[in-house]
Amino acid sequence: MKLLNEKSKEGSSSFNISELDIQTNIPENLKRIDLNIPELSEVEIIRHYTNLSKYNFGVDNGPYPLGSCTMKYNPKINEVAAKIPEFNIHPLSQHNKGTLEIIHQLQQYLCEITGMHAFSTQPAAGAHGESTGIMIMKAWFQKLGERRTKVIIPDSCHGTNPASVSLCGFEPLHVKSSSSGGIDLDDLRQNMGKDIVGIMITNPNTLGIFDENILKITKIIHDYGGLCYLDGANMNPMLGVVKPGDFGIDIVHLNLHKTFSTPHGGGGPGSGPVGVKKELEPFLPNPRIIKKNEKLGFEQSKDSIGKVHSFYGNFGILLRAYSYIRSIGASGLRNIAENAVLNANYMKEKLKEHYHLHYDRICQHEFVIDDSLMPDGVTTNDIAKRLMDFGFHPPTIYFPLIIKGAMLIEPTETESKENLDAFIEAMKVIKEEAESDPEKLTKAPLKAPIGRIDTVHAARKPKLTWHST
Amino acid sequence: MDYISNTDNDRALMLKDIGVQDVMDLFKDIPDSLILRNPLRIPDQLSEFELLRELENISKKNRRHVSFLGGGNYNHYIPSTVNAVTSRGEFSTAYTPYQPEISQGTLQAIFEYQSMICELTGMDVSNASMYDGATGLAESMILSTRIKGKKQVLVSHALNPLYREVLETYARASEIRIVEVDIKDGLTSDFKTDGSAAIIIQNPNFFGLIENLDGIRKKAEDILLITSTTEPLSWAILKPFSEYDVDIVTAEGQSFGNPMNFGGPGLGIIAVKQDYVRQIPGRLAGETVDIHGKRGFALTLCTREQHIRREKATSNICTNEGLCMLAASVYLVTYGKNLGKLARLNNQLAIYFADKLNQIEGVDLVFDKPFFNEFVVRIRKDIQSKISHIEIGISLEKYYPDLENCYLVCCTEMTPKEYIDRVLDEITQ
């Protein structure tokens, strides 16, 4: 499709402005001479983006079983809630009681769901929550006067975990997974020492497995005085079933855009609130929104890691998450976990007849299969591309890194049995095609708006704007 | 309400196929002592209309009114085209475009956004956006120390103090030293670059004043020049940063088509010189071709990123503000060249209000320097009490103790002349 710049026609913009008859105070030598923003009429703008939208696949278009990303349906009421005019206020306005009430109440709900004592809603995304959490760990040991340098990370972790650790000046120390998919306890014990800041763990992990040794793991860390951080990306199957606070977690971040159904927006905005146990509360980002003597307000703590966002985080997203929690209530939260786990196990059982299942055991909300049973030359990438032709967004591929040719599949609780069956059938057909007509797969997708994209070409000589050649 | 598609019958069939009796059999890896026996202490579910009623009741505890607050978050009109586009489910409910064949909509929109940001700033490369203005600036600070191999940066005292707080948080974590550059008459004064990786200057600065960056490159010969802007609408009438040989441009892009929303989500703009294309944090969309030779777009240079480079990545960021970026693109193309007129109107309203205020006894314009749409006034206490219901601006005393009784006043197209006149009447009565 043509670009805005290629469609632009000088003078076609109709969005007019009446200026005042007042001389500008900006000196001539600091003024801009020309402004080259594309110009289109309103109808052309709307058609441009409407046509672009047809080249996009969202949850509203079909199933999106993207492991570790929890692409569940986003209820439309959330969008209505987010557009209530009175919530669109300036962050420094004093007339903010309603807004503070939403944030404070959401903090309380998140505490109840996770078993934490206090939450900050400042972090704007999951990885932002991670770095906030690691900063809290750093501040904690500085306060104790201890110099610790290493954070333990399982080899099945999210890529953001080690990056967040090194951003905060610590060194990630990778521990192995055991043959059953949990953390290798011997490897963990061997790595323990007084230089360990703590652990950054995802549980259920990115293999979809709830580590049955979780209580032992958190005890080992605590015995050395370390802190346990939970990457809450996989909170969905725990809602109302188990609280991270109960299994020894000291700090947790939640991905509101995953678990609490706020739309991913083609990459954001997300929201990554961080929750902590009581002794860590003073280290949360400043300012905190708290209730004191029945009055809502801001509080600054001298032990705080400081501010991590221009204002108070992504309020527009917090409001959607609040709306979601209120619309489903406690029983709805539990329903999510049960149906997410049911859907994943159903799909896993059906797919293991056709694809190699690395860990043949009960899973939580997601599971990993791989391409090792595929005929030569047909890869996970080919399977992913072919799935598009069947009307599915592909699962997460080549992650977790510890399984070669991995496909991490997360159906989510909002998909129906019919959709799960259709996905299973598509995967079965793809397997058959791989044997009978492998070329069809390597050329897929055949029905997408565009053929398979050459990503190597894009990286070799990057063209990142319309102008540069 | 709930959003589950399975019926009880579906569930029974599925459990049977899995070969378990009860759904709780699927949670048997969890130690029994951890399984919750009681429901969460969260209120019962609500119907849509009950929920909406509750939210509207809570929202009424806010008071929405025209104010003169700015300082990093601005009340601008959002053209109706913006919501029409961003509310399309194909955009709003899509994930990061890792599968380009079914994400061309998002990818082309990012490419077009990158093109427009480069046009506005004059820089070579823009990414697909960061969390917000302050964190984008913090990432740039870290970037500069990595490029220069030095752990010290200079920061103008006229930088938004909230941004300064965020910088300090990141600096503590990354063990970077921040050295402050003084101000003179509200503008960044002279500085020494010794041992620093970069200097950070806001323009228009926190006081709304336009910094004259002519000749700054000479003073900052051996270090990176980083700018921060909280009101990028000013770019439509100010000389682009590339002409001052700036290395990294960062900004808060909320002004471009995103509501105030109590300060978030925002839109972290970051653009750099070509030299730093492999150092810039965040996502980049690039042009390429499909197997038929047809033009297409894909995320590119991903080897800088956390999912490949892990602890050696340029940043831990794995998201952007996709929908806010889309809103910004639609906003910019809706205004087109008229963005210049809008910027001038904002400037004119601020000049008008500042001049009139300055004529009132007990109100003084603090800095006699060119500004864009914000300015600082000192208001005598008795006048302050007269207009306490107005929110005339951000009180500066908290951040700058020497600016006692001073306010940062902001005008936009949403504070029209008639409204300004009414406020002036109230003050002079």
Side-chain angles (χ1 to χ4, degrees), chain A residues 205-216:
Chain A
N205 64 22
T206 61
L207 302 162
I209 292 166
F210 192 99
D211 200 317
E212 64 262 41
N213 292 321
I214 189 67
L215 290 166
K216 288 182 194 148

Side-chain angles (χ1 to χ4, degrees), chain B residues 324-343:
Chain B
C324 305
M325 171 223 66
L326 182 66
S329 291
V330 180
Y331 179 92
L332 289 171
V333 72
T334 299
Y335 275 103
K337 285 201 161 98
N338 288 328
L339 196 72
K341 286 189 188 173
L342 179 69

